[in-house]
Each structure stands twice: as structure tokens, then as C-alpha cells.
Amino acid sequence: MDSLGETIRKLREEKELPLRTVAAFLDIDQAILSKIERGQRNANREQVVKLAEFFKIKENDLLVSWLSDKLVYEVADEDVALKALQVAEEKVKYQKKNKK
């Protein structure tokens, strides 16, 4: 499973685009984009949405990758990570159901 950064790099390389082109579209320095691709820095939601637009892919696909990276970063070192994620899933379902 690729991280968001790995996905971005693959998309960029498939289109044979330099970092500077994608970074310019995002209005960020190419060093920042490079760090995002290597997993040394996190993109924000707005950047993820813009990347989906730039690469003409489904926004939800990149947002799922982005959010899953955030979750993994937060819980990866915890012994009860999987259980916590299962409980979180139930809480999300409960909140969505009760918002209707």
C-alpha cells in the first residue's frame, strides 16, 4: 500500500513532470513537495484536493490515502492500535447515523 507521498510521486513521474511544475501549481516550494513525497512532511487537505484536480483523479481516492496516513502516524506505535481504530470506526458510524 502506497502512502500519499508515494502516490503523488508515481503520478508525477508517470506524467514526466518535474517537482517544480507540481509545486508551482500548489503554490509551494519544490523542497516542500519533495518532503511530502518522501513522507517527511504532511500535505494539508487543501493541497490534497488541488493535487487530485491537477492529476485529474478522484478527490476521494487521495483524501482516503491522506487520512489513512494521518491515522497510521498517530497510532502505529501503539499496541492497541487496531482495536482503537475499530472503536473509532464504530464511533464514526454512530455520529453519522445520529446527524441525520
Side-chain angles (χ1 to χ4, degrees), residues 32-53:
I32 293 172
L33 180 57
S34 177
K35 287 180 180 181
I36 291 170
E37 286 186 354
R38 292 186 315 239
Q40 296 174 338
R41 183 172 176 142
N42 295 323
N44 62 40
R45 190 179 203 286
E46 179 185 337
Q47 290 165 336
V48 173
V49 170
K50 286 178 84 173
L51 284 163
E53 175 190 338

Side-chain angles (χ1 to χ4, degrees), residues 10-98:
K10 284 180 182 178
L11 290 167
R12 183 178 60 76
E13 289 176 348
E14 284 173 7
K15 295 187 182 283
E16 298 181 358
L17 296 169
L19 276 168
R20 69 178 176 276
T21 301
V22 181
F25 181 81
L26 294 174
D27 197 28
I28 61 174
D29 189 83
Q30 66 186 30
I32 293 172
L33 180 57
S34 177
K35 287 180 180 181
I36 291 170
E37 286 186 354
R38 292 186 315 239
Q40 296 174 338
R41 183 172 176 142
N42 295 323
N44 62 40
R45 190 179 203 286
E46 179 185 337
Q47 290 165 336
V48 173
V49 170
K50 286 178 84 173
L51 284 163
E53 175 190 338
F54 182 82
F55 290 114
K56 296 177 180 31
I57 60 173
K58 292 179 185 175
E59 185 178 300
N60 280 353
D61 291 346
L62 277 190
L63 285 172
V64 167
S65 181
W66 172 70
L67 282 171
S68 66
D69 284 357
K70 288 176 68 165
L71 292 169
V72 168
Y73 176 78
E74 287 296 323
V75 302
D77 294 334
E78 297 292 336
D79 292 336
V80 295
L82 290 177
K83 181 65 177 169
L85 288 171
Q86 290 169 342
V87 171
E89 179 182 24
E90 293 303 316
K91 287 180 180 180
V92 169
K93 287 178 184 177
Y94 178 80
Q95 286 183 352
K96 284 189 179 265
K97 184 175 106 175
N98 289 325

